[in-house]
Amino acid sequence: WIHVDVMDGHFVPNITIGPFIVEHLRKVTHLPLDVHLMIEYPDRYIQDFRSAGADIISVHQEACTNLNRTLHFIRTTGAKAGVVLNPATPHDTLSYVLDDVDLILVMSVNPGFGGQSFIANSVQKIQALSHMIGSRKILIEVDGGINDQTGMDVIKAGAHVLVAGSYIFGSKNPKE
């Protein structure tokens, strides 16, 4: 997968890319594009990102007034629907939308900037999510501070997908 962080400078203090870049990524890869919207009013942009080539669209629970409506909207576009939890957001806030999600992204750092240290209590949140999900086919993705040690910790806790940016691109040998 290619994880694409989209930031608007409002929901998080950083600004990154938009649908134009996703459209150009789609032209050069057949890998799934996992688009993480760290933006206010994500409903306004879901169709644009899907049209640009996003396969998975994840929105922050904290940014959605009507989370279940937003998740349904994502699915009507043909994309898989993901919901994101910030480090301080309890996992059980998602208990009423579990049948509407394909993926839950656990932020193990505060969103907005790369290179932050892993927040250790994320492991317990992943374990609790895994238990809450039960037999549902929902992937747990983890983003932030992932390296060789934290990656193993979150996999043991129940994570299926790891987002690693600084660990890979900041290493002396990214291919390794």
Side-chain angles (χ1 to χ4, degrees), residues 38-49:
M38 290 178 264
I39 61 176
E40 291 182 351
Y41 311 110
D43 296 67
R44 295 180 184 174
Y45 303 97
I46 288 167
Q47 186 61 59
D48 293 338
F49 280 100

Side-chain angles (χ1 to χ4, degrees), residues 142-157:
V142 184
D143 184 358
I146 296 297
N147 58 37
D148 55 345
Q149 180 57 55
T150 59
M152 293 305 297
D153 293 342
V154 299
I155 289 170
K156 288 177 187 172

Side-chain angles (χ1 to χ4, degrees), residues 70-149:
T70 299
L71 295 169
H72 282 280
F73 178 44
I74 293 170
R75 283 182 158 181
T76 65
T77 70
K80 293 195 180 295
V83 63
V84 188
L85 292 175
N86 281 337
T89 304
H91 75 282
D92 57 0
T93 62
L94 301 182
S95 62
Y96 293 104
V97 296
L98 290 179
D99 293 333
D100 301 321
V101 298
D102 300 295
L103 176 142
I104 298 171
L105 172 53
V106 175
M107 292 302 300
S108 46
V109 298
N110 287 300
F113 295 96
Q116 297 180 62
S117 296
F118 182 82
I119 297 172
N121 68 6
S122 301
V123 173
Q124 289 83 10
K125 183 184 281 188
I126 294 160
Q127 289 170 332
L129 272 171
S130 184
H131 183 266
M132 186 174 76
I133 289 168
S135 63
R136 291 177 182 90
K137 295 183 188 236
I138 299 172
L139 296 176
I140 298 174
E141 182 175 28
V142 184
D143 184 358
I146 296 297
N147 58 37
D148 55 345
Q149 180 57 55

